[in-house]
Amino acid sequence: MGVNSVTKPITVLGDPTVNFSDASLAICETNDALVSDGYTLDFSDPSVAPTYSISPYAPDSYNWTVSGVGITSSDYAFISGTGPSSANPVLKFLTFGEYLITVEVNGICGGSNSDVFSFYDQTPVLTNTDVLQVICSGQTSDEVVFNTDMSGTNYSIVTTADSAVQGYLNLTNESSIPAMTLINNTDAAASVVYTVTRL
């Protein structure tokens, strides 16, 4: 009496996973550069690409969404033949902002998972035009309140002054240069220079 056997593999599927190894990216770009051609983020680039689980946990479908405060569909576009259901889409950003880019993966068995990638885009620019003041010794300077083309502003200030000048403030991270009564102890011109960097 003979024996016959058949081996049949059975694959037990599991829920897919997705993970961004670095969940945020900040890009500094000038307004002219953005207006010229936007900023392109290619999620097939290994530096930003998500990591998907593999078989038997491989995703069956993908769903990419873009959100953020004040962000609408006119602020970005899927390009290069990709779309919200692509595994690695290419996105062009048309306006500055903080974008929250979510990818959701779905499995054959109905399970899903998601991860979020934060993208920030803009080079801040100080827009003050009242940057030079000339005063006589003993007079008070005008206050200069910093203006920028972005909200949520932080500043780094380096103060440089001639040794003959008295009465100035050594500023470091204020949002303005306050009015100051300055004294020049020499007959020659002397100066106080505040170098302001928007962070």
Side-chain angles (χ1 to χ4, degrees):
M1 181 166 132
V3 176
N4 189 17
S5 65
V6 175
T7 301
K8 185 171 184 177
I10 298 175
T11 301
V12 180
L13 300 175
D15 293 338
T17 61
V18 57
N19 177 62
F20 288 104
S21 58
D22 191 348
S24 66
L25 175 67
I27 295 295
C28 292
E29 186 168 54
T30 64
N31 189 61
D32 289 344
L34 184 74
V35 169
S36 171
D37 62 357
Y39 184 83
T40 300
L41 195 56
D42 185 347
F43 282 99
S44 65
D45 182 330
S47 65
V48 295
T51 300
Y52 297 117
S53 53
I54 59 175
S55 182
Y57 309 102
D60 184 53
S61 64
Y62 310 86
N63 183 34
W64 291 77
T65 56
V66 181
S67 62
V69 176
I71 301 298
T72 68
S73 59
S74 63
D75 296 316
Y76 65 92
F78 289 92
I79 62 170
S80 301
T82 66
S85 60
S86 300
N88 298 98
V90 182
L91 285 161
K92 177 176 277 194
F93 298 92
L94 308 171
T95 59
F96 292 127
E98 178 181 345
Y99 295 86
L100 300 176
I101 305 163
T102 303
V103 56
E104 180 181 0
V105 291
N106 300 291
I108 293 175
C109 297
S112 65
N113 212 318
S114 66
D115 202 6
V116 179
F117 183 86
S118 299
F119 174 64
Y120 310 85
D121 186 306
Q122 185 169 6
T123 296
V125 176
L126 283 166
T127 58
N128 287 74
T129 57
D130 53 345
V131 294
L132 178 64
Q133 296 182 38
V134 178
I135 62 172
C136 295
S137 182
Q139 291 184 330
T140 302
S141 64
D142 294 329
E143 178 184 23
V144 177
V145 177
F146 304 142
N147 299 311
T148 73
D149 59 354
M150 286 181 69
S151 61
T153 302
N154 294 308
Y155 302 95
S156 172
I157 304 173
V158 175
T159 305
T160 308
D162 291 333
S163 59
V165 179
Q166 293 181 340
Y168 69 90
L169 297 173
N170 189 18
L171 305 178
T172 55
N173 59 4
E174 291 76 4
S175 60
S176 67
I177 301 172
M180 292 173 277
T181 301
L182 302 174
I183 306 293
N184 181 358
N185 290 322
T186 67
D187 292 333
S191 64
V192 178
V193 176
Y194 293 102
T195 304
V196 181
T197 303
R198 197 295 189 187
L199 303 176

PDB file of all heavy atoms in Angstrom, residues 98-132:
ATOM      1  N   GLU A  98       3.485  75.184   6.499  1.00  0.00           N
ATOM      2  CA  GLU A  98       3.813  73.965   7.234  1.00  0.00           C
ATOM      3  C   GLU A  98       2.830  72.897   6.781  1.00  0.00           C
ATOM      4  O   GLU A  98       1.632  72.977   7.065  1.00  0.00           O
ATOM      5  CB  GLU A  98       3.705  74.187   8.737  1.00  0.00           C
ATOM      6  CG  GLU A  98       3.992  72.931   9.536  1.00  0.00           C
ATOM      7  CD  GLU A  98       3.873  73.140  11.033  1.00  0.00           C
ATOM      8  OE1 GLU A  98       3.848  74.300  11.475  1.00  0.00           O
ATOM      9  OE2 GLU A  98       3.785  72.134  11.755  1.00  0.00           O
ATOM     10  N   TYR A  99       3.326  71.912   6.076  1.00  0.00           N
ATOM     11  CA  TYR A  99       2.496  70.866   5.495  1.00  0.00           C
ATOM     12  C   TYR A  99       2.613  69.582   6.319  1.00  0.00           C
ATOM     13  O   TYR A  99       3.709  69.173   6.683  1.00  0.00           O
ATOM     14  CB  TYR A  99       2.937  70.567   4.059  1.00  0.00           C
ATOM     15  CG  TYR A  99       2.734  71.714   3.096  1.00  0.00           C
ATOM     16  CD1 TYR A  99       3.703  72.702   2.948  1.00  0.00           C
ATOM     17  CD2 TYR A  99       1.576  71.798   2.340  1.00  0.00           C
ATOM     18  CE1 TYR A  99       3.516  73.754   2.064  1.00  0.00           C
ATOM     19  CE2 TYR A  99       1.382  72.846   1.448  1.00  0.00           C
ATOM     20  CZ  TYR A  99       2.357  73.821   1.312  1.00  0.00           C
ATOM     21  OH  TYR A  99       2.171  74.861   0.438  1.00  0.00           O
ATOM     22  N   LEU A 100       1.477  68.978   6.594  1.00  0.00           N
ATOM     23  CA  LEU A 100       1.442  67.667   7.236  1.00  0.00           C
ATOM     24  C   LEU A 100       1.019  66.659   6.172  1.00  0.00           C
ATOM     25  O   LEU A 100      -0.119  66.687   5.695  1.00  0.00           O
ATOM     26  CB  LEU A 100       0.473  67.669   8.415  1.00  0.00           C
ATOM     27  CG  LEU A 100       0.811  68.668   9.525  1.00  0.00           C
ATOM     28  CD1 LEU A 100      -0.275  68.659  10.598  1.00  0.00           C
ATOM     29  CD2 LEU A 100       2.176  68.365  10.130  1.00  0.00           C
ATOM     30  N   ILE A 101       1.940  65.794   5.803  1.00  0.00           N
ATOM     31  CA  ILE A 101       1.715  64.849   4.709  1.00  0.00           C
ATOM     32  C   ILE A 101       1.530  63.465   5.322  1.00  0.00           C
ATOM     33  O   ILE A 101       2.442  62.931   5.953  1.00  0.00           O
ATOM     34  CB  ILE A 101       2.918  64.864   3.744  1.00  0.00           C
ATOM     35  CG1 ILE A 101       3.162  66.296   3.257  1.00  0.00           C
ATOM     36  CG2 ILE A 101       2.681  63.916   2.580  1.00  0.00           C
ATOM     37  CD1 ILE A 101       4.529  66.503   2.647  1.00  0.00           C
ATOM     38  N   THR A 102       0.344  62.908   5.150  1.00  0.00           N
ATOM     39  CA  THR A 102       0.003  61.625   5.757  1.00  0.00           C
ATOM     40  C   THR A 102      -0.114  60.556   4.677  1.00  0.00           C
ATOM     41  O   THR A 102      -0.742  60.779   3.645  1.00  0.00           O
ATOM     42  CB  THR A 102      -1.331  61.712   6.521  1.00  0.00           C
ATOM     43  OG1 THR A 102      -1.238  62.744   7.504  1.00  0.00           O
ATOM     44  CG2 THR A 102      -1.676  60.393   7.199  1.00  0.00           C
ATOM     45  N   VAL A 103       0.514  59.398   4.924  1.00  0.00           N
ATOM     46  CA  VAL A 103       0.308  58.252   4.044  1.00  0.00           C
ATOM     47  C   VAL A 103      -0.359  57.154   4.867  1.00  0.00           C
ATOM     48  O   VAL A 103       0.105  56.809   5.953  1.00  0.00           O
ATOM     49  CB  VAL A 103       1.620  57.757   3.402  1.00  0.00           C
ATOM     50  CG1 VAL A 103       2.676  57.406   4.429  1.00  0.00           C
ATOM     51  CG2 VAL A 103       1.346  56.564   2.481  1.00  0.00           C
ATOM     52  N   GLU A 104      -1.463  56.651   4.345  1.00  0.00           N
ATOM     53  CA  GLU A 104      -2.173  55.523   4.970  1.00  0.00           C
ATOM     54  C   GLU A 104      -2.014  54.312   4.067  1.00  0.00           C
ATOM     55  O   GLU A 104      -2.190  54.408   2.853  1.00  0.00           O
ATOM     56  CB  GLU A 104      -3.646  55.838   5.160  1.00  0.00           C
ATOM     57  CG  GLU A 104      -4.414  54.697   5.799  1.00  0.00           C
ATOM     58  CD  GLU A 104      -5.895  54.992   5.973  1.00  0.00           C
ATOM     59  OE1 GLU A 104      -6.337  56.088   5.596  1.00  0.00           O
ATOM     60  OE2 GLU A 104      -6.612  54.109   6.464  1.00  0.00           O
ATOM     61  N   VAL A 105      -1.646  53.187   4.670  1.00  0.00           N
ATOM     62  CA  VAL A 105      -1.526  51.939   3.917  1.00  0.00           C
ATOM     63  C   VAL A 105      -2.628  50.988   4.364  1.00  0.00           C
ATOM     64  O   VAL A 105      -2.968  50.917   5.542  1.00  0.00           O
ATOM     65  CB  VAL A 105      -0.136  51.292   4.108  1.00  0.00           C
ATOM     66  CG1 VAL A 105       0.929  52.125   3.437  1.00  0.00           C
ATOM     67  CG2 VAL A 105       0.194  51.082   5.575  1.00  0.00           C
ATOM     68  N   ASN A 106      -3.200  50.266   3.394  1.00  0.00           N
ATOM     69  CA  ASN A 106      -4.267  49.320   3.672  1.00  0.00           C
ATOM     70  C   ASN A 106      -3.828  47.938   3.221  1.00  0.00           C
ATOM     71  O   ASN A 106      -3.145  47.783   2.204  1.00  0.00           O
ATOM     72  CB  ASN A 106      -5.545  49.729   2.927  1.00  0.00           C
ATOM     73  CG  ASN A 106      -6.011  51.103   3.361  1.00  0.00           C
ATOM     74  OD1 ASN A 106      -6.449  51.284   4.485  1.00  0.00           O
ATOM     75  ND2 ASN A 106      -5.894  52.080   2.469  1.00  0.00           N
ATOM     76  N   GLY A 107      -4.224  46.923   3.988  1.00  0.00           N
ATOM     77  CA  GLY A 107      -3.869  45.552   3.665  1.00  0.00           C
ATOM     78  C   GLY A 107      -5.028  44.777   3.069  1.00  0.00           C
ATOM     79  O   GLY A 107      -6.181  45.213   3.116  1.00  0.00           O
ATOM     80  N   ILE A 108      -4.731  43.622   2.534  1.00  0.00           N
ATOM     81  CA  ILE A 108      -5.751  42.770   1.924  1.00  0.00           C
ATOM     82  C   ILE A 108      -6.797  42.344   2.941  1.00  0.00           C
ATOM     83  O   ILE A 108      -7.980  42.208   2.639  1.00  0.00           O
ATOM     84  CB  ILE A 108      -5.080  41.534   1.280  1.00  0.00           C
ATOM     85  CG1 ILE A 108      -4.225  41.967   0.097  1.00  0.00           C
ATOM     86  CG2 ILE A 108      -6.107  40.506   0.838  1.00  0.00           C
ATOM     87  CD1 ILE A 108      -3.424  40.838  -0.531  1.00  0.00           C
ATOM     88  N   CYS A 109      -6.373  42.167   4.193  1.00  0.00           N
ATOM     89  CA  CYS A 109      -7.293  41.687   5.226  1.00  0.00           C
ATOM     90  C   CYS A 109      -8.079  42.815   5.889  1.00  0.00           C
ATOM     91  O   CYS A 109      -8.823  42.577   6.845  1.00  0.00           O
ATOM     92  CB  CYS A 109      -6.522  40.915   6.284  1.00  0.00           C
ATOM     93  SG  CYS A 109      -5.718  39.432   5.633  1.00  0.00           S
ATOM     94  N   GLY A 110      -7.915  44.034   5.414  1.00  0.00           N
ATOM     95  CA  GLY A 110      -8.706  45.147   5.937  1.00  0.00           C
ATOM     96  C   GLY A 110      -7.998  45.996   6.967  1.00  0.00           C
ATOM     97  O   GLY A 110      -8.510  47.052   7.348  1.00  0.00           O
ATOM     98  N   GLY A 111      -6.840  45.569   7.450  1.00  0.00           N
ATOM     99  CA  GLY A 111      -6.099  46.370   8.415  1.00  0.00           C
ATOM    100  C   GLY A 111      -5.401  47.548   7.743  1.00  0.00           C
ATOM    101  O   GLY A 111      -5.148  47.538   6.538  1.00  0.00           O
ATOM    102  N   SER A 112      -5.111  48.590   8.517  1.00  0.00           N
ATOM    103  CA  SER A 112      -4.440  49.759   7.958  1.00  0.00           C
ATOM    104  C   SER A 112      -3.470  50.335   8.973  1.00  0.00           C
ATOM    105  O   SER A 112      -3.500  49.998  10.157  1.00  0.00           O
ATOM    106  CB  SER A 112      -5.462  50.821   7.539  1.00  0.00           C
ATOM    107  OG  SER A 112      -6.145  51.317   8.676  1.00  0.00           O
ATOM    108  N   ASN A 113      -2.626  51.225   8.510  1.00  0.00           N
ATOM    109  CA  ASN A 113      -1.660  51.906   9.344  1.00  0.00           C
ATOM    110  C   ASN A 113      -1.303  53.211   8.644  1.00  0.00           C
ATOM    111  O   ASN A 113      -1.535  53.358   7.437  1.00  0.00           O
ATOM    112  CB  ASN A 113      -0.411  51.030   9.533  1.00  0.00           C
ATOM    113  CG  ASN A 113       0.227  51.239  10.891  1.00  0.00           C
ATOM    114  OD1 ASN A 113       0.334  52.368  11.349  1.00  0.00           O
ATOM    115  ND2 ASN A 113       0.634  50.146  11.520  1.00  0.00           N
ATOM    116  N   SER A 114      -0.727  54.167   9.386  1.00  0.00           N
ATOM    117  CA  SER A 114      -0.371  55.433   8.758  1.00  0.00           C
ATOM    118  C   SER A 114       0.798  56.071   9.492  1.00  0.00           C
ATOM    119  O   SER A 114       1.115  55.723  10.629  1.00  0.00           O
ATOM    120  CB  SER A 114      -1.575  56.392   8.748  1.00  0.00           C
ATOM    121  OG  SER A 114      -1.934  56.761  10.074  1.00  0.00           O
ATOM    122  N   ASP A 115       1.419  57.037   8.811  1.00  0.00           N
ATOM    123  CA  ASP A 115       2.463  57.853   9.428  1.00  0.00           C
ATOM    124  C   ASP A 115       2.398  59.235   8.800  1.00  0.00           C
ATOM    125  O   ASP A 115       1.852  59.422   7.706  1.00  0.00           O
ATOM    126  CB  ASP A 115       3.848  57.229   9.232  1.00  0.00           C
ATOM    127  CG  ASP A 115       4.870  57.723  10.261  1.00  0.00           C
ATOM    128  OD1 ASP A 115       4.472  58.463  11.188  1.00  0.00           O
ATOM    129  OD2 ASP A 115       6.052  57.379  10.147  1.00  0.00           O
ATOM    130  N   VAL A 116       2.963  60.229   9.520  1.00  0.00           N
ATOM    131  CA  VAL A 116       2.880  61.628   9.099  1.00  0.00           C
ATOM    132  C   VAL A 116       4.278  62.193   8.912  1.00  0.00           C
ATOM    133  O   VAL A 116       5.176  61.965   9.721  1.00  0.00           O
ATOM    134  CB  VAL A 116       2.103  62.476  10.135  1.00  0.00           C
ATOM    135  CG1 VAL A 116       2.040  63.938   9.696  1.00  0.00           C
ATOM    136  CG2 VAL A 116       0.705  61.918  10.345  1.00  0.00           C
ATOM    137  N   PHE A 117       4.441  62.948   7.822  1.00  0.00           N
ATOM    138  CA  PHE A 117       5.690  63.624   7.504  1.00  0.00           C
ATOM    139  C   PHE A 117       5.419  65.130   7.526  1.00  0.00           C
ATOM    140  O   PHE A 117       4.496  65.607   6.869  1.00  0.00           O
ATOM    141  CB  PHE A 117       6.161  63.184   6.116  1.00  0.00           C
ATOM    142  CG  PHE A 117       7.477  63.750   5.688  1.00  0.00           C
ATOM    143  CD1 PHE A 117       8.663  63.123   6.038  1.00  0.00           C
ATOM    144  CD2 PHE A 117       7.536  64.895   4.921  1.00  0.00           C
ATOM    145  CE1 PHE A 117       9.882  63.626   5.628  1.00  0.00           C
ATOM    146  CE2 PHE A 117       8.750  65.412   4.507  1.00  0.00           C
ATOM    147  CZ  PHE A 117       9.931  64.777   4.865  1.00  0.00           C
ATOM    148  N   SER A 118       6.203  65.889   8.293  1.00  0.00           N
ATOM    149  CA  SER A 118       6.040  67.340   8.373  1.00  0.00           C
ATOM    150  C   SER A 118       7.036  68.016   7.444  1.00  0.00           C
ATOM    151  O   SER A 118       8.230  67.692   7.462  1.00  0.00           O
ATOM    152  CB  SER A 118       6.273  67.834   9.797  1.00  0.00           C
ATOM    153  OG  SER A 118       5.346  67.251  10.681  1.00  0.00           O
ATOM    154  N   PHE A 119       6.532  68.973   6.661  1.00  0.00           N
ATOM    155  CA  PHE A 119       7.378  69.681   5.712  1.00  0.00           C
ATOM    156  C   PHE A 119       7.195  71.184   5.910  1.00  0.00           C
ATOM    157  O   PHE A 119       6.072  71.680   5.923  1.00  0.00           O
ATOM    158  CB  PHE A 119       7.002  69.276   4.284  1.00  0.00           C
ATOM    159  CG  PHE A 119       7.728  70.055   3.221  1.00  0.00           C
ATOM    160  CD1 PHE A 119       9.099  69.966   3.099  1.00  0.00           C
ATOM    161  CD2 PHE A 119       7.039  70.871   2.352  1.00  0.00           C
ATOM    162  CE1 PHE A 119       9.777  70.686   2.128  1.00  0.00           C
ATOM    163  CE2 PHE A 119       7.691  71.586   1.374  1.00  0.00           C
ATOM    164  CZ  PHE A 119       9.065  71.496   1.259  1.00  0.00           C
ATOM    165  N   TYR A 120       8.316  71.890   6.096  1.00  0.00           N
ATOM    166  CA  TYR A 120       8.289  73.340   6.307  1.00  0.00           C
ATOM    167  C   TYR A 120       9.073  73.992   5.183  1.00  0.00           C
ATOM    168  O   TYR A 120      10.148  73.534   4.825  1.00  0.00           O
ATOM    169  CB  TYR A 120       8.954  73.716   7.638  1.00  0.00           C
ATOM    170  CG  TYR A 120       8.458  72.931   8.815  1.00  0.00           C
ATOM    171  CD1 TYR A 120       9.001  71.688   9.128  1.00  0.00           C
ATOM    172  CD2 TYR A 120       7.449  73.437   9.617  1.00  0.00           C
ATOM    173  CE1 TYR A 120       8.552  70.966  10.208  1.00  0.00           C
ATOM    174  CE2 TYR A 120       6.996  72.714  10.707  1.00  0.00           C
ATOM    175  CZ  TYR A 120       7.550  71.478  11.008  1.00  0.00           C
ATOM    176  OH  TYR A 120       7.109  70.767  12.081  1.00  0.00           O
ATOM    177  N   ASP A 121       8.554  75.092   4.691  1.00  0.00           N
ATOM    178  CA  ASP A 121       9.190  75.720   3.545  1.00  0.00           C
ATOM    179  C   ASP A 121       9.097  77.235   3.644  1.00  0.00           C
ATOM    180  O   ASP A 121       8.009  77.786   3.697  1.00  0.00           O
ATOM    181  CB  ASP A 121       8.477  75.242   2.269  1.00  0.00           C
ATOM    182  CG  ASP A 121       9.136  75.714   1.007  1.00  0.00           C
ATOM    183  OD1 ASP A 121       9.342  76.927   0.861  1.00  0.00           O
ATOM    184  OD2 ASP A 121       9.442  74.891   0.150  1.00  0.00           O
ATOM    185  N   GLN A 122      10.222  77.924   3.726  1.00  0.00           N
ATOM    186  CA  GLN A 122      10.343  79.359   3.517  1.00  0.00           C
ATOM    187  C   GLN A 122      11.631  79.884   4.109  1.00  0.00           C
ATOM    188  O   GLN A 122      12.059  79.477   5.185  1.00  0.00           O
ATOM    189  CB  GLN A 122       9.192  80.186   4.099  1.00  0.00           C
ATOM    190  CG  GLN A 122       9.325  81.675   3.746  1.00  0.00           C
ATOM    191  CD  GLN A 122       8.102  82.494   4.051  1.00  0.00           C
ATOM    192  OE1 GLN A 122       7.147  82.012   4.641  1.00  0.00           O
ATOM    193  NE2 GLN A 122       8.126  83.737   3.668  1.00  0.00           N
ATOM    194  N   THR A 123      12.237  80.798   3.394  1.00  0.00           N
ATOM    195  CA  THR A 123      13.347  81.569   3.921  1.00  0.00           C
ATOM    196  C   THR A 123      12.783  82.884   4.423  1.00  0.00           C
ATOM    197  O   THR A 123      12.211  83.654   3.645  1.00  0.00           O
ATOM    198  CB  THR A 123      14.405  81.854   2.828  1.00  0.00           C
ATOM    199  OG1 THR A 123      14.966  80.622   2.409  1.00  0.00           O
ATOM    200  CG2 THR A 123      15.505  82.749   3.369  1.00  0.00           C
ATOM    201  N   PRO A 124      12.878  83.146   5.713  1.00  0.00           N
ATOM    202  CA  PRO A 124      12.342  84.397   6.230  1.00  0.00           C
ATOM    203  C   PRO A 124      13.176  85.594   5.778  1.00  0.00           C
ATOM    204  O   PRO A 124      14.390  85.480   5.620  1.00  0.00           O
ATOM    205  CB  PRO A 124      12.422  84.220   7.738  1.00  0.00           C
ATOM    206  CG  PRO A 124      13.522  83.248   7.937  1.00  0.00           C
ATOM    207  CD  PRO A 124      13.488  82.331   6.757  1.00  0.00           C
ATOM    208  N   VAL A 125      12.516  86.721   5.576  1.00  0.00           N
ATOM    209  CA  VAL A 125      13.190  87.936   5.136  1.00  0.00           C
ATOM    210  C   VAL A 125      12.770  89.085   6.041  1.00  0.00           C
ATOM    211  O   VAL A 125      11.572  89.302   6.267  1.00  0.00           O
ATOM    212  CB  VAL A 125      12.829  88.268   3.670  1.00  0.00           C
ATOM    213  CG1 VAL A 125      13.464  89.586   3.249  1.00  0.00           C
ATOM    214  CG2 VAL A 125      13.251  87.138   2.743  1.00  0.00           C
ATOM    215  N   LEU A 126      13.754  89.814   6.582  1.00  0.00           N
ATOM    216  CA  LEU A 126      13.453  91.038   7.319  1.00  0.00           C
ATOM    217  C   LEU A 126      13.082  92.113   6.313  1.00  0.00           C
ATOM    218  O   LEU A 126      13.792  92.328   5.328  1.00  0.00           O
ATOM    219  CB  LEU A 126      14.661  91.477   8.144  1.00  0.00           C
ATOM    220  CG  LEU A 126      14.910  90.712   9.432  1.00  0.00           C
ATOM    221  CD1 LEU A 126      16.304  90.990   9.970  1.00  0.00           C
ATOM    222  CD2 LEU A 126      13.874  91.085  10.471  1.00  0.00           C
ATOM    223  N   THR A 127      11.977  92.818   6.555  1.00  0.00           N
ATOM    224  CA  THR A 127      11.476  93.791   5.585  1.00  0.00           C
ATOM    225  C   THR A 127      11.602  95.229   6.063  1.00  0.00           C
ATOM    226  O   THR A 127      11.048  96.130   5.439  1.00  0.00           O
ATOM    227  CB  THR A 127      10.004  93.481   5.243  1.00  0.00           C
ATOM    228  OG1 THR A 127       9.233  93.505   6.451  1.00  0.00           O
ATOM    229  CG2 THR A 127       9.874  92.128   4.573  1.00  0.00           C
ATOM    230  N   ASN A 128      12.318  95.455   7.164  1.00  0.00           N
ATOM    231  CA  ASN A 128      12.494  96.821   7.669  1.00  0.00           C
ATOM    232  C   ASN A 128      13.262  97.682   6.673  1.00  0.00           C
ATOM    233  O   ASN A 128      14.220  97.230   6.043  1.00  0.00           O
ATOM    234  CB  ASN A 128      13.261  96.822   8.996  1.00  0.00           C
ATOM    235  CG  ASN A 128      12.421  96.318  10.141  1.00  0.00           C
ATOM    236  OD1 ASN A 128      12.183  95.135  10.241  1.00  0.00           O
ATOM    237  ND2 ASN A 128      11.961  97.220  10.983  1.00  0.00           N
ATOM    238  N   THR A 129      12.842  98.938   6.567  1.00  0.00           N
ATOM    239  CA  THR A 129      13.573  99.898   5.735  1.00  0.00           C
ATOM    240  C   THR A 129      14.195 101.001   6.585  1.00  0.00           C
ATOM    241  O   THR A 129      15.045 101.746   6.098  1.00  0.00           O
ATOM    242  CB  THR A 129      12.630 100.525   4.692  1.00  0.00           C
ATOM    243  OG1 THR A 129      11.527 101.135   5.364  1.00  0.00           O
ATOM    244  CG2 THR A 129      12.119  99.476   3.721  1.00  0.00           C
ATOM    245  N   ASP A 130      13.792 101.115   7.865  1.00  0.00           N
ATOM    246  CA  ASP A 130      14.301 102.165   8.758  1.00  0.00           C
ATOM    247  C   ASP A 130      15.514 101.660   9.530  1.00  0.00           C
ATOM    248  O   ASP A 130      15.544 101.628  10.747  1.00  0.00           O
ATOM    249  CB  ASP A 130      13.204 102.613   9.725  1.00  0.00           C
ATOM    250  CG  ASP A 130      12.584 101.438  10.478  1.00  0.00           C
ATOM    251  OD1 ASP A 130      12.797 100.283  10.065  1.00  0.00           O
ATOM    252  OD2 ASP A 130      11.894 101.687  11.476  1.00  0.00           O
ATOM    253  N   VAL A 131      16.555 101.273   8.802  1.00  0.00           N
ATOM    254  CA  VAL A 131      17.676 100.582   9.438  1.00  0.00           C
ATOM    255  C   VAL A 131      18.830 101.503   9.817  1.00  0.00           C
ATOM    256  O   VAL A 131      19.717 101.102  10.554  1.00  0.00           O
ATOM    257  CB  VAL A 131      18.201  99.447   8.538  1.00  0.00           C
ATOM    258  CG1 VAL A 131      17.154  98.358   8.385  1.00  0.00           C
ATOM    259  CG2 VAL A 131      18.628  99.988   7.176  1.00  0.00           C
ATOM    260  N   LEU A 132      18.843 102.742   9.345  1.00  0.00           N
ATOM    261  CA  LEU A 132      19.951 103.653   9.639  1.00  0.00           C
ATOM    262  C   LEU A 132      19.423 104.894  10.334  1.00  0.00           C
ATOM    263  O   LEU A 132      18.486 105.535   9.850  1.00  0.00           O
ATOM    264  CB  LEU A 132      20.680 104.035   8.346  1.00  0.00           C
ATOM    265  CG  LEU A 132      21.843 105.015   8.482  1.00  0.00           C
ATOM    266  CD1 LEU A 132      22.967 104.399   9.324  1.00  0.00           C
ATOM    267  CD2 LEU A 132      22.361 105.436   7.117  1.00  0.00           C
TER     268      LEU A 132
END
